[in-house]
Amino acid sequence: MAVRMGQELLESQEPWSPVELGESSVPGRASGPGRASVPGRGSGPGGGSAGAGGPEGSVAFGAAARALGLKPREFELAVQLGEVRTVTTGLGRRVAHEELRRVTADEGFPEALIARLRVVGTAEGAELLGISQGRLTRLARGGFFAPVRFYVNRYRAVVWLYPASELTEFAARQPELLSGRTPPGLSAALAAGEDWRAAKWRSRRVGQLLARTEDPWERAAVLASVLGSVELASSVSDRYERAHLRALRPALVRTRPEAGAVRDVIDAVVTADDPREIRRYRAALASALEDARRARPAPRPAAEAARPRDDRTRAPGRPRSLWQKLTGRR
């Protein structure tokens, strides 16, 4: 059920479509825009089954990063992209010794690994592909490749970052889109305000988080993490289930405490807002909740013993209210 749910979510998340635009074909779209990682697959980025490498056969993330010669942010990206697989142990998520041996034994290590972890912004990405920044932005808005990261600059504008290796792979796969006129279908979609960068980032991030767990409630919480409070409330009517999902909900991005000034901008990025995208996540969440409910119910607080209605005896040591003092009631 989980794999099917994730596959349906991905397949329905198409950027601009020549059929919807009333066109029989669109030049330069033989293989379609690049897709983000598939949500719901058991062996995705950073995936690993519980106990695959116990605490005694694994190391913490910091030690793993040092062993691979990676900076903390580089290591975090390596886990997200599936370059380094992690396992769940009694001490949390760690990296197995055998995984470190696998990565270090790869051809070209560490230069090849670091090259695959290189991320570029619009200017550097356009220079890498030999195109204008405007063309790269149009292709990104059209959903041909997915951002892997973003940050908010001093002007509270979102700056998108892309894996350099994915940009070069796209250029080799569809070189016709690097020059000439923009395909009519894409031009029409962009003129209508289409921008798939945030949605593609969310799809990639959701896929990464789904791949880290097989627990049905945690998987449902991942899908719920991109829905706003109103959408979540209408999708999950049971307040205890909503509370459980919120408690399990993972952080899609890391933010510093002092990032409060840009919190609204970040929230806009991590929250699905397009009606089509919202419908897809709601459908995926409904399917995930079916799996979760079959596995176990959401925790509920123990019912408090109701005090008898005719028990008016004041508890020992409890001060009388002002009304009791005025009326002389005990």
Side-chain angles (χ1 to χ4, degrees), residues 19-41:
V19 177
E20 292 176 0
L21 296 172
E23 299 176 4
S24 58
S25 63
V26 176
R29 195 170 181 253
S31 58
R35 295 180 180 270
S37 55
V38 180
R41 296 199 184 277

Side-chain angles (χ1 to χ4, degrees), residues 128-204:
L128 177 66
L129 300 187
I131 60 177
S132 69
Q133 296 183 33
R135 179 174 285 269
L136 186 134
T137 298
R138 290 193 294 273
L139 293 172
R141 288 181 58 194
F144 282 91
F145 33 80
V148 70
R149 276 183 177 163
F150 73 91
Y151 66 89
V152 181
N153 64 17
R154 70 173 76 179
Y155 306 106
R156 302 182 69 184
V158 177
V159 179
W160 297 104
L161 301 175
Y162 309 90
S165 59
E166 293 185 9
L167 293 185
T168 55
E169 289 172 3
F170 161 75
R173 185 175 65 249
Q174 294 185 272
E176 67 277 7
L177 290 178
L178 303 182
S179 61
R181 297 186 59 183
T182 303
L186 177 56
S187 295
L190 297 179
E194 293 280 347
D195 188 344
W196 284 83
R197 288 175 294 184
K200 297 285 279 188
W201 176 84
R202 286 189 290 268
S203 178
R204 181 197 287 271

Side-chain angles (χ1 to χ4, degrees), residues 8 23 26 38 63 67 81 106 152 156 175 186 188 198 209 223 262 279 295 297 328:
E8 290 175 352
E23 299 176 4
V26 176
V38 180
L81 295 179
D106 281 349
V152 181
R156 302 182 69 184
L186 177 56
L209 293 170
L223 296 166
V262 298
R279 285 195 298 268

Side-chain angles (χ1 to χ4, degrees), residues 21-93:
L21 296 172
E23 299 176 4
S24 58
S25 63
V26 176
R29 195 170 181 253
S31 58
R35 295 180 180 270
S37 55
V38 180
R41 296 199 184 277
S43 57
S49 59
E56 67 284 352
S58 61
V59 297
F61 282 6
R66 290 190 294 271
L68 299 175
L70 299 177
K71 300 175 182 178
R73 293 284 285 174
E74 290 176 330
F75 179 80
E76 179 185 26
L77 184 60
V79 171
Q80 291 180 359
L81 295 179
E83 294 287 349
V84 178
R85 296 189 292 264
T86 63
V87 294
T88 302
T89 72
L91 298 177
R93 299 199 67 82

Side-chain angles (χ1 to χ4, degrees), residues 211-245:
R212 294 186 182 185
T213 180
E214 292 298 326
D215 180 82
W217 278 105
E218 291 181 359
R219 295 177 67 81
V222 170
L223 296 166
S225 65
V226 298
L227 294 176
S229 57
V230 174
E231 293 297 338
L232 181 59
S234 61
S235 301
V236 186
S237 58
D238 189 292
R239 60 175 179 170
Y240 297 114
E241 290 184 342
R242 289 200 305 272
H244 192 43
L245 292 175

